[in-house]
């Protein structure tokens, strides 16, 4: 499934960029729209989101899993999103 491929890609990006404090909270894939919500033990900065997004975008462009036109949103999970993991409570 495409969700599994993208989730693996997200984890590869986090590892490659050495963002050990960052983790995936939620992934939504709807046709050609991908929404990625991240959290961190430190903080999810714009710079981290941008670097992860560009890493993922490069692979999606090369592999064409979603075709040529798609929307990719990488952001912080935000304060209004429910906590899912124990490490988020810290």
């Amino acid at each position: 499934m495409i969700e599994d491929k993208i989730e693996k890609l997200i984890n590869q990006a986090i590892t490659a960029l050495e963002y050990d404090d960052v983790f995936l909270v939620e992934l939504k894939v709807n046709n050609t729209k991908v929404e990625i919500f991240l959290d961190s033990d430190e903080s999810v900065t714009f710079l981290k989101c941008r670097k992860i997004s560009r890493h993922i975008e490069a692979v999606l462009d090369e592999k064409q899993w979603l075709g040529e036109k798609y929307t990719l949103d990488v952001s912080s999970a935000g304060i209004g999103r429910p906590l899912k993991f124990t490490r988020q409570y810290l």
Side-chain angles (χ1 to χ4, degrees), residues 4 18-19 23-24 27 34-35 42 49 72 74 76 80 88:
D4 294 335
E18 298 180 356
Y19 290 153
F23 55 95
L24 177 64
L27 169 64
V34 178
E35 294 178 285
E42 302 292 319
C49 288
L72 175 62
V74 178
S76 162
Q88 289 180 284

Side-chain angles (χ1 to χ4, degrees), residues 20-82:
D20 298 331
D21 62 319
V22 176
F23 55 95
L24 177 64
V25 173
E26 187 174 358
L27 169 64
K28 294 182 179 181
V29 180
N30 186 5
N31 295 323
T32 59
K33 183 174 183 178
V34 178
E35 294 178 285
I36 299 169
F37 299 97
L38 304 172
D39 205 345
S40 170
D41 299 326
E42 302 292 319
S43 65
V44 179
T45 64
F46 173 76
L47 180 63
K48 287 180 181 180
C49 288
R50 184 177 68 188
K51 285 186 176 185
I52 291 170
S53 176
R54 290 191 176 156
H55 187 95
I56 293 167
E57 182 180 18
V59 175
L60 290 178
D61 287 349
E62 178 186 336
K63 303 282 187 185
Q64 295 288 307
W65 292 339
L66 301 170
E68 289 186 20
K69 294 186 180 187
Y70 61 89
T71 303
L72 175 62
D73 293 325
V74 178
S75 67
S76 162
I79 196 163
R81 196 168 290 283

